[in-house]
Amino acid sequence: MNALTGKHIILGITGGIAAYKSVVLLRLLIKAGAEVQVVITPNGKQFITPVTLSALSGKPVVSEFFTANTGEWHSHVDLGLWADAMVIAPATASSIGKMANGIADNMLITTYLSAKCPVFVAPAMDLDMMAHPSTCRNIKLLKSYGNHIIEPSEGELASHLVGKGRMEEPENIVAALEHYFATCDDLKGLKALVTAGPTYERIDPVRFIGNFSTGKMGYAIAESLRRRGAEVTLVSGPTVVAPPQGVNLIKVESASQMLSACEKEFDCCDIAVWTAAVADYAPACPSERKIKREKEAVNSIQLVMNPDIAATLGKCRKDGQTLVGFALETDNGEENARRKLESKNLDLVVLNSLADPGAGFATDTNRITIISRLGDMMVFPLKDKSEVADDIVNEIIYFRKNK
Ligand code: CTP
């Protein structure tokens, strides 16, 4: 049975020349066994006729809020609840902008805003529109909402210019959906614990010892684990990154608070991913009052060592748990990562190097190597952190199947 059999799919079509490919996409989705409801924008109808789409889908195409002659109301809310997935292909720059910013001036965008299901977006536009900072920012926003972007390919465009902006081929869009449905329940029934972000160790009420971690990597891992069906608890140090939807977020400040939160969750978790950049030291006696400049005490702060969360909980691990740590290194990466695999009782260690351009803190990308207790070592190229998170989760699933 195909992973799309019986799935309810909303196919959203917006006003771009690539709408002609949506007919093939619709046909392939139907052939794969999906039930498809087409929602098309008014501009989309300039490119492709609703008659073709309704004939192929076996359902009237939805475009307006009302059917003009009968006054029948089309409920975007019901549609959003009906769908197992929504695919917007082609997605023009204008529709992407409206989706990113909640400008609900047509049936397709209102349906998008109501949809609780995963959303796949296949942009299609001219290369300069695709590269414009506005489009880039809007696509980034959609990613931050958890939408899946099916990247356009490079090639000849409708303008006859050559570049990035061609809507991905319908076969590949269907393959992306099939892959999603085939893997979305991989971790169903399992509990995952993820630590993320920095910890802040108070010196006084206005100052702290911290680090440059933003939590982006840990948040992306929490999101990826949730997408694969796990019930996720994310214990996070201070960060401005928006939390992924559908995870249980526990906010903490210091390493000792992070340890206490993790201790409560660790026993019942099946997977733990220690992504947090935990401060190694904390001031021994944080001042309750702001330390004044003239006080000599400010010249030296006595530090105590923080608990090592990964190592502490690694000591009381149970059978069936999979523990994953990170090693952010500047030198002797592999050697240090292998040492951490042992000393923290991990199954997998994710090595990244601050020496690699595009890797480490406060970037949207990362370049990782995963070393497994089973002896495997996988080297990955530089990727977007959400893709890196998916690679890590794939390795966790592989490890659990093969250990
Ligand atoms: N870690 C932790 N608690 C700490 C320190 C680290 O849970 N107090 C976890 C991190 O989340 C990461 C792994 O241990 O998964 C390695 O962290 P890292 O900072 O690279 O290593 P340290 O053990 O702190 O060693 P060093 O700073 O000497 O490299």
Side-chain angles (χ1 to χ4, degrees), residues 195 255 274-280 306-311 324-329 339-340 344 346:
T195 63
W274 314 121
T275 319
V278 184
D280 287 322
N306 267 333
D308 185 327
I309 299 166
V324 184
F326 270 69
L328 178 60
E329 306 294 339
R339 197 171 38 75
K340 286 174 188 174
K344 299 182 193 241
L346 303 170

Side-chain angles (χ1 to χ4, degrees), residues 1 24 91 132 147 153 198 217 230 249 279 285 307 354 368 375:
M1 197 173 76
V24 180
H132 194 280
N147 297 168
S153 51
M217 194 65 251
L249 176 68
C285 305
L354 276 181
I368 60 160

